[in-house]
Amino acid sequence: MRSTYRVLALLICLGVVLQAAAIAFGWFDVIADSEDADVVLNDDYDGNAGHMMHGIVGMSVIPLLGLILLVVSFLTKVPGASKWAGYVFGSIVFQVVIGIMSFSIPILGVLHGVNAFVLFGVALMAARRMDVATPAEAGRENAYT
């Protein structure tokens, strides 16, 4: 279970990096397209692959990974695992809520960007927690699982 927990936490970190890459791609694509036409202001503009990937990963994949991490945290038998998984899940919930609210209050997008770094950090700390846990802290699991 410790390995599963570690992998889930690191997948969340990877998801945050993927999110940054996707949104950068999405907006650079808009900028490139807008040199030819006013794509953002057209009523028929539905976004692009970068925006779509950012939405899918951010609204589905990362929250699901966070929820699974929280469930797995109770099975690891490592002190503090559930606390760190709770921090990760809380950061994910905040990220989704602030992302949705940013469409109505654009300045909140700043918090969305900053919280991405927070989420990456707490997920990395959660993963690292499994690396520093001693076999005694891990209950019956050995140090290599």
Side-chain angles (χ1 to χ4, degrees):
M1 279 299 152
R2 290 174 50 182
S3 294
T4 302
Y5 181 98
R6 183 183 307 112
V7 167
L8 286 167
L10 291 174
L11 282 173
I12 291 169
C13 289
L14 180 62
V16 172
V17 171
L18 179 63
Q19 287 292 86
I23 202 64
F25 163 64
W27 281 111
F28 281 114
D29 193 32
V30 166
I31 292 167
D33 287 347
S34 67
E35 291 176 357
D36 299 327
D38 200 9
V39 295
V40 178
L41 299 178
N42 287 340
D43 290 335
D44 62 344
Y45 183 71
D46 293 327
N48 58 37
H51 292 131
M52 184 173 50
M53 186 177 0
H54 188 80
I56 292 169
V57 172
M59 295 292 287
S60 302
V61 177
I62 292 177
L64 181 60
L65 289 172
L67 186 58
I68 294 169
L69 177 70
L70 191 59
V71 169
V72 168
S73 73
F74 293 106
L75 306 173
T76 63
K77 299 183 174 134
V78 173
S82 297
K83 175 180 76 172
W84 281 100
Y87 293 156
V88 170
F89 190 69
S91 295
I92 292 169
V93 169
F94 182 70
Q95 188 72 347
V96 169
V97 169
I98 208 73
I100 292 168
M101 290 176 63
S102 293
F103 287 104
S104 299
I105 309 168
I107 191 67
L108 293 179
V110 172
L111 290 176
H112 185 71
V114 169
N115 190 62
F117 290 106
V118 171
L119 174 55
F120 184 91
V122 293
L124 192 59
M125 290 297 294
R128 183 75 182 116
R129 177 80 183 131
M130 294 299 107
D131 292 337
V132 297
T134 63
E137 289 177 321
R140 289 181 236 154
E141 294 188 49
N142 68 42
Y144 304 106
T145 61

